[in-house]
Amino acid sequence: MTVPIRLLDGAHQLLKAPLIVVWDRLSTHISKTMKALVAERGWLTAVPLPGYEPDPNPVEGLWAHIKRSLAARTLSELETLLRRRLKALQYRHGIPRSQNVSRSAT
């Protein structure tokens, strides 16, 4: 028996209630063995996370852009680039600004 199933069995015995787990698509989570072990337990529901899908989540596109723009740079270049971009963000309208942020930090 796998460690996650033993852990869930123990949690079920302790809580005396049905359990719902949300799992990523790790190979052990979606294996035939794991599906069978989950199916044997009427009190256990396993919900898989969706696969990587950048379209419904606009932040994914932003992170991809940031990673591309910062790739293969020296530390000095990164510092200069980040200072410039933070300075530019400081003057953009419509971006909420925290009251705790000091303007002297940039």
Side-chain angles (χ1 to χ4, degrees):
M1 191 177 330
T2 68
V3 172
I5 288 294
R6 287 197 313 256
L7 176 68
L8 293 170
D9 284 342
H12 175 64
Q13 288 174 359
L14 182 67
L15 298 172
K16 299 186 183 353
L19 298 177
I20 299 172
V21 294
V22 179
W23 275 338
D24 58 11
R25 296 196 175 266
L26 184 68
S27 61
T28 56
H29 293 163
I30 61 173
S31 69
K32 289 180 183 178
T33 302
M34 186 61 73
K35 287 178 183 178
L37 289 169
V38 170
E40 292 170 3
R41 291 155 174 80
W43 49 265
L44 179 58
T45 303
V47 179
L49 286 172
Y52 175 76
E53 178 88 30
D55 291 340
N57 188 353
V59 172
E60 293 295 338
L62 175 63
W63 283 121
H65 173 72
I66 289 171
K67 286 190 266 184
R68 278 192 310 272
S69 68
L70 298 179
R73 299 203 183 246
T74 66
L75 191 54
S76 176
E77 289 173 329
L78 279 174
E79 181 180 1
T80 301
L81 180 65
L82 288 173
R83 285 185 183 277
R84 266 195 235 132
R85 291 193 180 173
L86 287 172
K87 190 79 162 174
L89 281 175
Q90 189 176 17
Y91 296 104
R92 290 198 51 193
H93 299 289
I95 296 178
R97 194 178 304 190
S98 171
Q99 299 297 323
N100 299 328
V101 174
S102 168
R103 289 182 188 215
S104 64
T106 55

